[in-house]
Amino acid sequence: MKNKYSIFSLVRNAVSYHQNWSQAWRSPDPKPAYDAIIVGGGGHGLATAYYLAKEHSITRVAVLEKGWIGGGNTGRNTTIVRSNYLWDEAAHLYEKSLKLWEGLSQELNYNVMFSQRGVMNLGHTLQDMRDIVRRSSANQLNGIDSEVLTPAQIKNIEPTINISQQARYPILGASFQPRGGVARHDAVAWGFARGADRYGVDVIQNCEVTGIRQQNGSVTGVDTTRGFIAAPKVGVVAAGHSSLLADYAGLRMPIESHPLQALVSEPLKPVLNTVIMSNAVHGYISQSDKGELVVGAGIDSYIGYGQRGSYSVIEGNIAAIVELFPNFSRVKMLRQWGGIVDVCPDACPIISLTPVKGLYFNCGWGTGGFKATPGSGWVFAYTIARNTPHGLNAAFDLNRFYTGALIDEHGAAGVAH
Amino acid sequence: MLSIDCPWCGSRDQSEFSYGGEAHIVRPKEPEKLSDEDWGDYLFNRKNTKGRFEEQWCHTAGCRRWFNAVRDSQSYKIEAVYKIGEQSPDGIPE
Ligand SMILES: Cc1cc2nc3c(=O)[nH]c(=O)nc-3n(C[C@H](O)[C@H](O)[C@H](O)COP(=O)(O)OP(=O)(O)OC[C@H]3O[C@@H](n4cnc5c(N)ncnc54)[C@H](O)[C@@H]3O)c2cc1C
Ligand SMILES: [Zn+2]
């Protein structure tokens, strides 16, 4: 590999004061035609292009991004990675992704800072605990690591947490997935972009798709702010904007886009060891390697494309965090932002062929698709290359909304991420 | 937080309201006659408009009545509110 990152390249570049690093990927002009176009340069779109090239030898590929790569939800999320979903279909898909995460830095020759520090999902009511035991058992049957912890065991792992039974919603226990954790979101986008670029994929930023052309029921290409680009295959991975792209193709989607917010604190000395999530009081928190507390909030109830949400949502969210960690009440929050999440009725993604031949959609990941980035790209590349879904994503087709075979993951995914 | 004009109670904080999503979805008169595709479309598919959007709100912690609003889903500005059964300002019939 040209320009491989290693201890030697680091030393070599240190000698020249880091002035001579070559660019990680090209910024080419769009060609008139490609074998496949990916709409959306988030992690999922870039991963799709990478695996199309690597696994299926389809390298005449363009990724079209209307802004900058990773500027959507990929660069705005709280980076929680786990695979402890309840239903078999979801568990297998997210576990495939987790397995890819485990080798991703090596695979991409790019440090995505995947840190398997463990993810805890807290229970605060009897019903929470019943659901946790059920989900944990289902995970074990699917070969996914999962244990149920008592409050004392939780406290042992996370000494700052408040397990007092006097709390408004006392902690009764938790599920724990030791292989879960967090990763560096930007690095995931950059690593896949660099990886795809090396196979010849054109990563084209500042190029918005404004129309999808078809002839006799087959896709022929896309209109963009930089002109028409032809391709017999188009894969749309546009998260919160999926409904607009569906509209360009005359399709309707079971998706609603909502604002979802997150915030980070001033940097602190290490204080949190794992990722802690609570559906019942609704908060989730981890600590970045820089020391910031990374806190995720809930969605606003209304449809919103503004990449910002209501203050009341953050207020409720912080109240929950302070209840779990009373000593965080004096921590100053530094930044707060929002993304646009594409929510599906069953809290599961759509990775599917469409009624238009050669047009594929990958969307509906809603509040929890970062963890799926490599797996989603892997199955979507397969689907596009072979024009048929892989076994892992067959159940996640558009048809399920007509057959009724929904995959109800609200328990595992609806509010948590 | 949005400030929402309930057609009955006037301007109140958003936290008093619940959201009802897309307005003017007509329930099929004879559901048993629909194909699976049409029924699925009615149940699940949504416009999810970016921009000027007709939607339903309920003043849950107030008069508890439903009404419709026209809101810009990008700027979040509420352009108009109108009662259920009234035509939307853009002419979508009741
Ligand atoms: C605050 C927040 C917290 C979250 N926390 C977590 C978490 O902890 N764990 C987890 O697993 N998930 C989490 N998520 C969800 C996760 O971020 C997303 O599911 C995932 O990143 C989606 O990746 P993507 O590549 O599909 O979308 P995106 O990164 O949004 O990429 C889509 C891209 O398409 C581009 N695009 C749109 N329209 C067009 C067009 N017409 N032409 C060209 N390009 C276009 C956009 O600019 C964008 O870059 C969170 C999301 C948010 C907002
Ligand atoms: Zn009222």
Side-chain angles (χ1 to χ4, degrees):
Chain A
M1 192 194 278
K2 210 174 117 233
N3 297 326
K4 192 174 186 308
Y5 295 153
S6 67
I7 183 74
F8 304 109
S9 69
L10 190 63
V11 171
R12 200 166 53 242
N13 281 283
V15 179
S16 55
Y17 301 98
H18 298 292
Q19 300 290 312
N20 296 321
W21 286 101
S22 56
Q23 60 179 7
W25 58 86
R26 302 159 298 131
S27 294
D29 287 327
K31 297 192 186 93
Y34 290 93
D35 291 339
I37 287 174
I38 304 300
V39 182
H44 288 223
L46 293 162
T48 305
Y50 174 80
Y51 290 115
L52 265 179
K54 190 193 167 212
E55 305 278 335
H56 306 281
S57 307
I58 301 178
T59 54
R60 277 188 8 118
V61 175
V63 179
L64 307 181
E65 165 55 50
K66 75 176 158 106
W68 65 94
I69 59 167
N73 293 342
T74 297
R76 293 164 186 269
N77 78 97
T78 49
T79 78
I80 300 171
V81 176
R82 60 191 178 89
S83 65
N84 54 353
Y85 283 69
L86 175 65
W87 300 107
D88 292 351
E89 296 86 348
H92 294 155
L93 181 63
Y94 289 102
E95 177 62 15
K96 165 75 190 173
S97 195
L98 183 49
K99 292 225 169 77
L100 289 171
W101 275 112
E102 286 173 327
L104 199 60
S105 289
Q106 294 301 326
E107 161 92 30
L108 295 177
N109 178 235
Y110 203 97
N111 188 1
V112 297
M113 295 168 73
F114 182 46
S115 156
Q116 293 180 290
R117 58 186 67 176
V119 173
M120 246 184 238
N121 295 82
L122 302 175
H124 303 261
T125 65
L126 262 185
Q127 190 56 44
D128 270 3
M129 289 316 297
R130 290 190 191 113
D131 290 342
I132 280 174
V133 172
R134 179 185 180 208
R135 184 163 47 77
S136 213
S137 309
N139 292 158
Q140 287 169 12
L141 289 173
N142 273 320
I144 293 168
D145 60 322
S146 184
E147 6 180 320
V148 179
L149 303 181
T150 63
Q153 289 171 310
I154 296 171
K155 184 86 180 160
N156 204 22
I157 298 173
E158 224 37 283
T160 40
I161 202 164
N162 174 22
I163 56 163
S164 154
Q165 296 305 299
Q166 311 310 319
R168 176 71 183 83
Y169 298 103
I171 293 169
L172 301 183
S175 72
F176 187 53
Q177 184 177 25
R179 284 163 64 240
V182 288
R184 166 105 198 271
H185 43 17
D186 296 325
V188 176
W190 298 337
F192 273 119
R194 176 169 170 267
D197 178 88
R198 310 225 141 177
Y199 285 109
V201 171
D202 286 354
V203 178
I204 300 165
Q205 308 187 67
N206 299 310
C207 180
E208 178 173 353
V209 171
T210 54
I212 296 177
R213 285 203 211 166
Q214 38 180 309
Q215 207 167 39
N216 307 326
S218 297
V219 78
T220 56
V222 295
D223 292 305
T224 78
T225 45
R226 299 180 65 178
F228 174 74
I229 308 175
K233 292 185 177 204
V234 174
V236 177
V237 209
H241 281 80
S242 300
S243 300
L244 275 76
L245 283 137
D247 204 34
Y248 297 156
L251 304 173
R252 272 160 64 79
M253 285 281 157
I255 284 180
E256 291 187 307
S257 298
H258 293 271
L260 177 65
Q261 302 177 82
L263 50 173
V264 293
S265 74
E266 58 191 331
L268 306 175
K269 292 259 168 65
V271 62
L272 283 179
N273 299 314
T274 57
V275 180
I276 294 118
M277 321 179 61
S278 166
N279 282 4
V281 301
H282 205 144
Y284 42 105
I285 184 165
S286 65
Q287 189 170 21
S288 76
D289 289 354
K290 276 191 282 181
E292 304 149 323
L293 299 178
V294 181
V295 182
I299 60 169
D300 275 271
S301 60
Y302 52 78
I303 287 175
Y305 284 89
Q307 289 188 325
R308 64 201 155 75
S310 303
Y311 189 73
S312 52
V313 172
I314 315 180
E315 207 175 13
N317 170 237
I318 291 297
I321 294 295
V322 170
E323 176 87 3
L324 297 175
F325 298 94
N327 59 344
F328 291 171
S329 66
R330 293 182 304 282
V331 173
K332 293 191 182 69
M333 303 312 290
L334 284 192
R335 286 182 295 124
Q336 150 266 338
W337 65 88
I340 314 167
V341 295
D342 41 336
V343 177
C344 233
D346 56 357
C348 274
I350 295 164
I351 315 167
S352 183
L353 311 192
T354 68
V356 181
K357 219 170 143 267
L359 180 65
Y360 311 86
F361 265 76
N362 182 346
C363 58
W365 291 95
T367 61
F370 177 73
K371 63 178 73 64
T373 305
S376 160
W378 195 88
V379 295
F380 198 42
Y382 183 103
T383 305
I384 294 173
R386 313 232 178 154
N387 194 39
T388 181
H390 186 272
L392 284 171
N393 66 309
F396 296 92
D397 67 349
L398 267 171
N399 236 3
R400 75 180 189 269
F401 299 98
Y402 309 122
T403 62
L406 303 191
I407 307 158
D408 180 12
E409 275 294 352
H410 281 283
V415 279
H417 306 273
Chain B
M1 181 159 20
L2 304 175
S3 176
I4 303 175
D5 271 323
C6 171
W8 287 278
C9 312
S11 177
R12 300 293 176 90
D13 280 351
Q14 183 201 333
S15 53
E16 291 186 13
F17 297 83
S18 353
Y19 189 60
E22 183 178 326
H24 304 291
I25 296 175
V26 182
R27 191 176 206 287
K29 288 234 161 53
E30 294 176 286
E32 66 283 358
K33 297 228 166 105
L34 291 188
S35 66
D36 287 350
E37 280 69 25
D38 290 338
W39 182 243
D41 184 60
Y42 161 71
L43 276 186
F44 297 120
N45 288 340
R46 292 294 177 264
K47 282 191 203 153
N48 198 22
T49 308
K50 181 177 183 176
R52 217 174 139 85
F53 182 54
E54 286 82 11
E55 60 188 16
Q56 317 174 92
W57 288 88
C58 180
H59 194 185
T60 329
C63 65
R64 299 174 59 196
R65 283 196 266 198
W66 284 94
F67 60 94
N68 290 333
V70 182
R71 191 178 54 94
D72 186 312
S73 65
Q74 199 170 10
S75 70
Y76 303 165
K77 182 168 188 279
I78 296 174
E79 316 265 1
V81 294
Y82 54 103
K83 292 179 184 166
I84 300 281
E86 287 176 3
Q87 226 189 35
S88 89
D90 291 349
I92 300 178
E94 172 272 323

